[in-house]
Amino acid sequence: MIKNTQHFLDKLVHILELNGYVVRNEKGNFKSGHCLKDESRVILLNKVAPIESRITFLCDTIRNLSLDEQVLSSDERNLLGELKQTVLEV
């Protein structure tokens, strides 16, 4: 179940970090996005955006990435499976 809390956002960030991504919270006039430059994997989040927007973006990003489930705990694997089955309505 997707919750709009800081704790849930931290779980999503942790899953990405375990898979080699760097999640940065930056202040600026931009939409959230991710950047793959050379071999670096960087995801930028607008820290002034509402938490719901940041969570929605990370859920969509996680769904579209090929993540290594071997590095995740069983709870994190369950969350990843749940995210891949959930369709968010904006």
Side-chain angles (χ1 to χ4, degrees):
M1 173 176 228
I2 295 176
K3 303 171 189 162
N4 291 326
T5 63
Q6 183 64 44
H7 181 69
F8 188 74
L9 179 64
D10 293 341
K11 284 183 183 182
L12 298 176
V13 169
H14 184 67
I15 288 172
L16 289 165
E17 288 174 343
L18 287 174
N19 276 275
Y21 287 86
V22 176
V23 180
R24 293 176 35 191
N25 288 294
E26 301 289 334
K27 185 177 179 183
N29 188 15
F30 64 94
K31 293 184 177 183
S32 297
H34 74 280
C35 173
L36 299 175
K37 183 180 176 190
D38 297 326
E39 291 300 314
S40 66
R41 299 172 166 191
V42 178
I43 297 175
L44 295 176
L45 294 175
N46 190 341
K47 71 179 182 181
V48 296
I51 195 164
E52 297 85 7
S53 298
R54 291 182 277 164
I55 289 173
T56 300
F57 171 75
L58 287 181
C59 289
D60 288 340
T61 301
I62 288 172
R63 258 197 288 307
N64 294 321
L65 293 174
S66 176
L67 300 177
D68 180 14
E69 294 186 24
Q70 300 297 324
V71 298
L72 304 177
S73 69
S74 62
D75 288 340
E76 292 164 340
R77 271 186 245 126
N78 291 339
L79 177 59
L80 184 60
E82 196 175 309
L83 288 175
K84 291 187 176 189
Q85 293 177 1
T86 304
V87 176
L88 298 178
E89 294 181 17
V90 182

